[in-house]
Amino acid sequence: MSQRDHMHNPILGIDFGTTKSCIAKWDGSGPSIYTLSNGQPILPTVLYYDDKKDSFLVGTEAIQEGNRNPDNLIDKIKKSLEDSSEKIKVGNREFGPIILVKEILAELRAEAKKIVPANKFKPQGVVVTVPYYFKEQQRKNTDAAARLAGLGSIKIILEPIAAALSHLLKMKNEGGLEALDKPKKFLVFDLGGLTLDITLFELRVNRDKNLNFEVINTGGDKTIGGQYFDELIIEYIKQRENLAAPRAEGRRNRFRRETYSKRDEYYLREACIKAKESLGSARRTTAYLSAPYLFDEEGPTLEFTLQEMNELLSPALDRIKGILDDTLRNSKLTDDDIDIILKVGGSSKLKLISSYLTERFGDKIYGDDPGTSVAKGAAIYGAILEKDFDLGGQIIIKERTIHSIGVEIENGQYFPIIPSNSTLPTKHTTTFTPDVDGINSLTINFFQESLDKNSKIAVCKLSGLPKLTAGELSIEITIMVEIDKKIGIDVKPVGINCDKEMEWI
């Protein structure tokens, strides 16, 4: 047992999710989740801006206040991190995404601090998780928000690797890691509030007992998740009950008012979500939608059955099956090649999803608490980095580039220099010859994946070039990506001296 003061100087792990977030600490022997002021381990990743007080409410309080004024409610904040210059209008103000993310992370920090006397709370290590698909700019913006939130210098870990560390600690506690004497292939199935992320990696334990994670491939869909399921259910109930239509003579619905407002939509949404969760996690076949502010007082609560929900979600499940099939096929793997499947994300607990995974993979599936395993894994990683815990050896993560990296060429097209899915570290060099006469300066724009403005990562400006005819100037461009995904760029005019200015976005 470590002698560290884990209450006052905790090692924190934060799962900053698109729809829900949570925070864990390393208590000396294992990770534990902080219970929040709402009595739950989960904080809804939602903000409400109070115009009069010029302040934010966070989580459950934000949702409650947003019932009365939906225009001041902000969700899906994590998705905005791709472009830190974006302005998000809330009430009568505009905010950048880093400021909004800071509010969520600061609330999580405050929740961890509340059980400690004033001025005694000094975290000694903080790890924040990010999705595998995050670009360099999104990682930087996450770090900037964490620093503004008072979390100090943080470390980043990938969500699927964090989930794996949580599982590995459980394996160690239940009898050791001897099962890892041979390489094991993991499939992390992360179905959250907005997205499906699938990550395949191989874990090897070498002679020094270092844990080597090598990512094989990734897949997913940014449009499938719990909120997508919610929308299907909401639209179904509205159509079934004729809720959105005004009352007409001879055709009565159970809707209390003639119009359908944002506030009414909120009450229906909450009722549908509760019904989904009730049917999705318990052994029952019927749920009841109760929304007293929405339906006629004299009318009964609405029934919604498991059979109805499964039929509604069946097309979404078919899409999930196809994504999983494609990811394995592109990795040249079969179901039999996978040793361990980790279920992550609250939506993976739905019986329709769990039943499918069990039917397909049998007893290879693990994930007792999909909603908190990522935060726990982040806390474990922090404990390893702070030398407060030894899982057996160092954690070595060998990633791949999920996004290609390249330049904008003369005809306004994107030219990739480092391909996507390249094993890290990697280094590629390409020589370009501009087909232009007499240029004495040149601007080279570098991007990840596309020429979208949110994908721009750097600009190199060359000046003082001798005026040469087309084809005489050659520019050698080298792009390097280190094992921690840090990007390096080198631009050299061949055989020519000139001034060079590199600006990182």
Side-chain angles (χ1 to χ4, degrees):
M1 179 76 70
S2 168
Q3 298 303 308
R4 181 190 297 269
D5 183 347
H6 293 96
M7 176 176 288
H8 300 90
N9 310 125
I11 298 168
L12 301 176
I14 295 176
D15 176 11
F16 169 54
T18 309
T19 58
K20 295 178 181 179
S21 300
C22 65
I23 181 168
K25 72 171 181 177
W26 179 259
D27 64 15
S29 59
S32 59
I33 298 291
Y34 284 96
T35 299
L36 309 180
S37 298
N38 61 11
Q40 302 295 321
I42 300 296
L43 178 76
T45 311
V46 179
L47 292 173
Y48 176 86
Y49 176 64
D50 189 323
D51 291 302
K52 295 180 180 178
K53 296 181 179 179
D54 188 25
S55 62
F56 287 97
L57 295 175
V58 187
T60 304
E61 288 185 340
I63 294 172
Q64 292 170 347
E65 196 64 31
N67 300 346
R68 293 181 281 275
N69 188 5
D71 289 338
N72 284 40
L73 198 67
I74 322 160
D75 62 2
K76 304 176 185 176
I77 300 162
K78 185 175 178 178
K79 279 184 169 286
S80 66
L81 277 174
E82 190 169 351
D83 182 6
S84 61
S85 66
E86 179 184 355
K87 296 299 180 184
I88 301 168
K89 185 172 176 55
V90 191
N92 59 11
R93 291 281 305 277
E94 287 186 340
F95 298 94
I98 290 177
I99 295 298
L100 299 179
V101 172
K102 180 264 291 186
E103 293 292 332
I104 299 291
L105 296 179
E107 180 69 13
L108 290 169
R109 183 184 187 277
E111 289 283 0
K113 181 182 177 181
K114 69 184 179 183
I115 62 173
V116 177
N119 302 319
K120 298 290 186 179
F121 183 74
K122 295 182 180 179
Q124 295 301 299
V126 182
V127 176
V128 179
T129 65
V130 297
Y132 191 81
Y133 60 80
F134 255 27
K135 297 177 183 176
E136 181 69 12
Q137 196 60 41
Q138 290 166 297
R139 294 187 183 209
K140 288 180 179 178
N141 291 340
T142 301
D143 184 88
R147 291 173 186 271
L148 284 177
L151 291 169
S153 180
I154 68 167
K155 297 293 185 181
I156 297 288
I157 188 173
L158 300 173
E159 291 169 0
I161 302 300
L165 290 177
S166 184
H167 175 68
L168 292 175
L169 177 61
K170 185 178 179 182
M171 286 179 63
K172 178 171 179 154
N173 291 340
E174 291 179 351
L177 300 174
E178 287 77 11
L180 299 176
D181 58 341
K182 295 181 180 179
K184 300 291 183 184
K185 288 184 173 60
F186 284 65
L187 186 154
V188 180
F189 180 92
D190 186 349
L191 186 61
L194 283 179
T195 62
L196 167 65
D197 297 313
I198 297 171
T199 308
L200 286 162
F201 63 85
E202 184 172 80
L203 174 60
R204 296 172 179 266
V205 180
N206 63 16
R207 292 179 180 177
D208 296 327
K209 297 186 177 180
N210 293 333
L211 279 71
N212 294 267
F213 295 87
E214 181 172 353
V215 176
I216 300 170
N217 196 12
T218 62
D221 191 316
K222 295 182 181 180
T223 66
I224 292 182
Q227 287 193 9
Y228 175 71
F229 301 157
D230 299 340
E231 295 300 330
L232 292 175
I233 295 170
I234 291 164
E235 289 305 312
Y236 171 75
I237 294 295
K238 284 167 67 174
Q239 292 180 24
R240 193 189 78 176
E241 300 298 328
N242 195 32
L243 288 180
R247 293 174 178 170
E249 187 176 348
R251 187 182 183 190
R252 178 174 174 77
N253 62 22
R254 293 175 185 153
F255 190 46
R256 181 180 290 178
R257 289 169 294 282
E258 297 290 336
T259 58
Y260 194 72
S261 68
K262 286 186 177 180
R263 187 183 182 199
D264 300 325
E265 182 79 20
Y266 168 79
Y267 287 121
L268 178 60
R269 179 179 302 279
E270 288 299 292
C272 288
I273 290 172
K274 288 179 181 178
K276 178 195 75 172
E277 292 174 349
S278 174
L279 291 173
S281 59
R283 293 183 178 179
R284 57 182 67 182
T285 58
T286 303
Y288 298 92
L289 280 72
S290 177
Y293 296 100
L294 182 61
F295 305 121
D296 281 334
E297 293 177 354
E298 68 273 15
T301 54
L302 301 182
E303 289 188 2
F304 181 58
T305 68
L306 179 61
Q307 181 179 348
E308 286 176 297
M309 185 171 80
N310 287 347
E311 289 175 356
L312 274 178
L313 301 186
S314 179
L317 179 60
D318 289 340
R319 286 174 61 189
I320 290 170
K321 292 177 181 178
I323 294 163
L324 191 50
D325 290 342
D326 289 344
T327 306
L328 285 167
R329 183 168 51 252
N330 293 338
S331 308
K332 297 181 172 57
L333 298 173
T334 67
D335 292 3
D336 292 339
D337 294 321
I338 306 302
D339 299 294
I340 295 173
I341 292 90
L342 299 180
K343 265 195 330 184
V344 180
S347 298
S348 70
K349 294 188 291 186
L350 286 174
K351 283 193 287 189
L352 182 69
I353 305 298
S354 292
S355 297
Y356 161 67
L357 292 174
T358 301
E359 180 182 335
R360 178 165 181 170
F361 294 105
D363 60 1
K364 298 178 180 180
I365 300 171
Y366 300 88
D368 298 333
D369 193 357
T372 63
S373 62
V374 170
K376 289 178 179 177
I380 295 168
Y381 187 56
I384 293 170
L385 293 178
E386 293 295 321
K387 302 188 184 308
D388 201 62
F389 172 63
D390 182 7
L391 189 56
Q394 295 182 23
I395 304 297
I396 301 170
I397 303 170
K398 197 170 185 179
E399 296 188 48
R400 291 175 179 262
T401 56
I402 192 168
H403 307 286
S404 64
I405 304 173
V407 297
E408 180 182 12
I409 54 179
E410 293 162 348
N411 57 2
Q413 293 184 337
Y414 172 67
F415 183 90
I417 295 176
I418 296 216
S420 61
N421 209 38
S422 297
T423 302
L424 299 182
T426 187
K427 177 179 177 180
H428 290 252
T429 299
T430 302
T431 301
F432 290 93
T433 302
D435 189 20
V436 182
D437 284 324
I439 58 173
N440 58 11
S441 64
L442 186 64
T443 298
I444 304 171
N445 297 308
F446 293 85
F447 295 84
Q448 278 186 296
E449 191 174 24
S450 70
L451 295 186
D452 184 273
K453 69 181 183 71
N454 297 334
S455 299
K456 195 171 186 177
I457 58 172
V459 178
C460 181
K461 296 179 180 179
L462 302 177
S463 59
L465 294 167
K467 292 187 178 182
L468 301 173
T469 58
E472 288 186 326
L473 175 64
S474 294
I475 307 292
E476 186 179 87
I477 297 176
T478 300
I479 299 180
M480 302 149 283
V481 186
E482 302 300 332
I483 201 162
D484 60 359
K485 281 197 170 180
K486 287 183 179 178
I487 300 171
I489 296 173
D490 187 27
V491 179
K492 291 181 179 178
V494 179
I496 294 173
N497 293 321
C498 69
D499 296 325
K500 180 172 64 175
E501 179 184 350
M502 177 68 73
E503 177 187 356
W504 291 90
I505 306 301

